[in-house]
Amino acid sequence: MSVNLRTVYAFAREMYPKKVKGDIQYGTAGFRTKAENLDYVMYRMGLLATLRSRFKNGAVIGVMITASHNPEPDNGVKLVDPEGEMLEARWEKLATRLANVSDQELEQEIAAVIQEENVCISAPSTVYVGMDNRYHSPRLLKAVCDGVVALKGGVKEFGILTTPMLHYLVVAANTRCSYGTPTEEGYYKKLITAFQNIRGTTTTHGNYTNRVYFDGANGVGARKMIQFLKRMDRGLDVVVFNSGEGKINHECGADYVKVQQRAPIGMPEVEANARCVSVDGDADRVVYFFTDENNCFHLLDGDRIATLVADYLMGLVRVCNINLRMGLVQTAYANGASTDYIEHQLRVPVACVPTGVKHLHHKATEFDIGVYFEANGHGTVIFSKNAKQLIKKTAEDDNLNEEQRNAAKTFLQIIDLINETVGDAISDMLLVETVLLAKGWNLRDWVNTYTDLPNLQLKVSVADRNVITTTDAERICVTPEGLQEEINALVAKYPRARAFVRPSGTEDVVRVYAEAENKEDTAVLAHEVASAVHRLAGGVGNPPEIPRQFVNSHY
């Protein structure tokens, strides 16, 4: 195969010239910015994905076009490696280099990547491309595909997908269908079959009923949930709203519900204590919520999902009587009450890592059963080969009692229900529904397992977010000098208090997190820490005010 790099440059200059002066960085969510500034980036990521596929001996590489929970004018792109994981860190740096060179330097930069990484340019390559339902995504998808074709790579367009679906498709293709059939239909079939095999004909148990209200954030998750319902029996009664009639993520979706701690717009009239769920724009985050008979809002976020799932899986491990090491991975954003509950009630080891899915995912692989969820609702469960082999052996061992074998068979179905490649809002929702049915719980039963500490997040605009550096999984601020000492002094004023700051990965803001024993102390602490950041870290404009809805909310 002969590839003319001059053609690559010429096509870029004519069709996808770099018009943006500033640099862009490949972060935890790939590249993400205003859609009108991404055409040239998309073309170059098509080039990089083709090289990555050749570097991986022809393995399928995924390219997902989405801005996830960001507002409608934004878009983004991230690459998916062969095992469904995020792009390798070394290649993230290559992505940043490739995105920021001038058009004139593009040919030379591609040649440098080929040489540095010893890429066989004649090797086969396949790139799978998916997109969310933003109006500018089709244009950006074409740019990615043009980049692949420019290097004479193979490309397969899947159109509108959730981000987790693309991860699934990449792994299914690279495992030669052992993980599942690499089609959208194969994705539906795998999850639905497992869900219905576990659920059987039982739809109610104890306080659990099968009605759930689904906020689709006007994103792709709503479309795919509707497709699930067309293929499922009536075992789950889902009312879908925010299904595309409004702007994606605008006052709705998982991020809005989590941060604002209120119900989304667009909700139909629901009964008190109704089970409600919100996903984000690309359906890789999920949170539950309900409003009680006193009109009090209750949130069940990623921390709650993690504790629910870990408790259920530990129960299966005990019934199967197999020796498996389970661990739960959190970030500094995890509510302190959840960490206490996991360590002291569930007696499951907890590891804390920096913010970012790749950090959680990597740490979770160190356990036989690794449960990870960010507080924002993004997470999944990873099972080691050893765990799968032991569970399968238990299910097939006729010397064991029926209870053990049946628990192991259920365990195997649970593994099929879980999208191990990445956080998957729909898969996680089906898992939560499975656990709640098994326990006979409604959301009030679930929320009563422990009491969250009131918490609040604020954003401080700064001239340069890089003045903030952290250590200890982002829980300790190293620079600017004196800021951590001031945070420590402020935290010491309030019972059960904790606060930390970290730079945003995508914009010049510093994110402030605070929690304390009561909501009033939490609000004051958050404002005091934000003011300290504004003063010591080059704040721009006025310090943030305490959101009115937080002050008026109930815990």
Side-chain angles (χ1 to χ4, degrees):
M1 182 191 307
S2 175
V3 176
N4 186 342
L5 296 186
R6 292 293 297 172
T7 303
V8 170
Y9 156 66
F11 198 74
R13 182 187 60 192
E14 294 296 325
M15 298 295 296
Y16 302 107
K18 184 177 185 291
K19 299 178 180 178
V20 179
K21 293 182 179 180
D23 284 354
I24 188 171
Q25 184 173 359
Y26 194 104
T28 56
F31 294 113
R32 192 175 295 178
T33 187
K34 299 299 181 186
E36 62 264 26
N37 297 329
L38 279 171
D39 295 75
Y40 77 97
V41 175
M42 296 291 178
Y43 175 74
R44 297 175 184 204
M45 289 307 99
L47 300 174
L48 189 70
T50 307
L51 295 180
R52 182 65 175 168
S53 178
R54 287 181 172 138
F55 176 78
K56 287 290 188 177
N57 300 313
V60 173
I61 298 295
V63 179
M64 185 65 198
I65 299 162
T66 182
S68 187
H69 56 281
N70 280 36
E72 189 176 60
D74 292 354
N75 217 317
V77 59
K78 57 184 175 183
L79 273 62
V80 179
D81 258 355
E83 294 183 8
E85 72 275 40
M86 299 300 180
L87 183 63
E88 182 184 342
R90 189 176 79 255
W91 280 67
E92 288 183 358
K93 295 178 180 177
L94 295 179
T96 298
R97 276 172 44 188
L98 194 62
N100 292 320
V101 296
S102 68
D103 292 335
Q104 290 73 22
E105 296 169 311
L106 181 58
E107 177 186 350
Q108 180 181 347
E109 188 63 35
I110 290 290
V113 171
I114 292 170
Q115 183 177 11
E116 290 171 19
E117 299 299 321
N118 195 26
V119 176
C120 178
I121 197 65
S122 62
S125 64
T126 304
V127 178
Y128 283 4
V129 188
M131 64 181 181
D132 68 16
N133 61 314
R134 294 165 199 262
Y135 66 88
H136 29 67
S137 290
R139 183 189 85 237
L140 299 179
L141 180 141
K142 182 179 184 302
V144 171
C145 294
D146 283 348
V148 176
V149 173
L151 280 179
K152 297 188 177 180
V155 63
K156 187 170 184 178
E157 300 177 32
F158 284 89
I160 294 176
L161 295 174
T162 68
T163 293
M165 288 173 74
L166 182 69
H167 284 255
Y168 162 87
L169 291 166
V170 169
V171 175
N174 287 323
T175 57
R176 298 184 179 182
C177 300
S178 67
Y179 187 72
T181 304
T183 62
E184 183 170 342
E185 201 61 43
Y187 171 83
Y188 296 137
K189 183 177 180 181
K190 182 179 180 181
L191 268 60
I192 291 171
T193 299
F195 180 72
Q196 292 181 337
N197 284 345
I198 300 167
R199 205 175 186 85
T201 58
T202 304
T203 58
T204 60
H205 174 214
N207 291 330
Y208 178 87
T209 60
N210 70 337
R211 167 65 66 90
V212 60
Y213 295 88
F214 184 95
D215 165 25
N218 292 311
V220 64
R223 296 187 181 203
K224 302 311 179 185
M225 188 71 246
I226 291 169
Q227 292 302 314
F228 265 97
L229 295 174
K230 288 179 179 179
R231 292 160 173 80
M232 294 172 67
D233 60 22
R234 298 291 297 173
L236 193 59
D237 182 11
V238 182
V239 177
V240 180
F241 63 99
N242 289 332
S243 57
E245 58 274 17
K247 292 183 178 180
I248 190 169
N249 298 316
H250 179 64
E251 295 186 335
C252 61
D255 195 60
Y256 175 84
V257 172
K258 166 65 178 172
V259 174
Q260 301 298 326
Q261 301 193 22
R262 58 166 60 180
I265 63 168
M267 276 194 67
E269 288 287 333
V270 300
E271 62 275 17
N273 302 309
R275 193 165 70 258
C276 304
V277 59
S278 282
V279 304
D280 66 334
D282 68 333
D284 64 0
R285 297 182 179 187
V286 60
V287 297
Y288 276 73
F289 64 93
F290 69 98
T291 302
D292 65 22
E293 56 276 1
N294 297 317
N295 203 32
C296 180
F297 176 84
H298 300 267
L299 174 72
L300 297 105
D301 60 10
D303 296 339
R304 291 280 182 178
I305 296 172
T307 57
L308 181 78
V309 170
D311 183 28
Y312 176 73
L313 295 180
M314 280 299 293
L316 289 177
V317 169
R318 284 191 293 269
V319 175
C320 291
N321 194 26
I322 48 182
N323 184 21
L324 294 174
R325 183 167 175 259
M326 178 185 287
L328 201 149
V329 187
Q330 296 183 320
T331 70
Y333 285 106
N335 194 282
S338 76
T339 307
D340 287 343
Y341 178 76
I342 295 160
E343 291 181 326
H344 300 123
Q345 297 296 319
L346 302 184
R347 299 188 181 279
V348 173
V350 176
C352 186
V353 298
T355 304
V357 175
K358 61 185 177 183
H359 302 299
L360 290 112
H361 194 92
H362 177 73
K363 189 67 177 180
T365 62
E366 297 179 10
F367 301 95
D368 284 317
I369 303 174
V371 181
Y372 75 81
F373 274 87
E374 293 181 287
N376 62 28
H378 188 289
T380 189
V381 185
I382 303 174
F383 299 89
S384 68
K385 290 182 180 178
N386 175 59
K388 292 176 181 177
Q389 289 170 354
L390 284 176
I391 295 167
K392 188 173 186 294
K393 182 179 178 181
T394 301
E396 296 171 349
D397 191 343
D398 291 334
N399 294 319
L400 300 177
N401 63 51
E402 187 176 1
E403 183 185 25
Q404 285 177 280
R405 293 198 307 274
N406 287 341
K409 290 174 183 176
T410 298
F411 219 144
L412 293 175
Q413 295 294 331
I414 289 290
I415 293 172
D416 270 349
L417 181 61
I418 293 169
N419 187 345
E420 295 182 72
T421 66
V422 72
D424 184 333
I426 293 176
S427 167
D428 289 339
M429 186 196 89
L430 295 176
L431 176 61
V432 168
E433 295 298 318
T434 297
V435 177
L436 292 177
L437 173 64
K439 290 179 173 291
W441 282 3
N442 59 21
L443 294 192
R444 186 175 289 281
D445 296 319
W446 182 7
V447 84
N448 285 339
T449 52
Y450 63 88
T451 303
D452 274 323
L453 290 171
N455 62 91
L456 179 59
Q457 297 180 44
L458 298 177
K459 293 195 299 185
V460 183
S461 295
V462 293
D464 179 10
R465 67 182 184 272
N466 294 314
V467 301
I468 298 283
T469 60
T470 63
T471 188
D472 189 24
E474 301 177 314
R475 292 176 289 188
I476 301 295
C477 183
V478 177
T479 62
E481 185 176 352
L483 179 54
Q484 185 59 49
E485 288 74 15
E486 189 154 343
I487 294 172
N488 291 343
L490 292 170
V491 167
K493 294 163 52 179
Y494 306 102
R496 300 183 70 188
R498 182 171 70 93
F500 68 90
V501 302
R502 56 177 287 271
S504 166
T506 56
E507 53 184 328
D508 278 323
V509 300
V510 177
R511 302 191 184 279
V512 174
Y513 177 91
E515 65 182 33
E517 190 171 64
N518 60 65
K519 65 176 184 178
E520 291 80 11
D521 287 351
T522 300
V524 174
L525 174 60
H527 189 261
E528 289 175 337
V529 172
S531 298
V533 170
H534 190 272
R535 187 175 70 255
L536 297 175
V540 175
N542 296 320
E545 297 295 326
I546 301 169
R548 182 179 302 173
Q549 65 268 21
F550 181 86
V551 177
N552 294 334
S553 60
H554 301 280
Y555 286 85

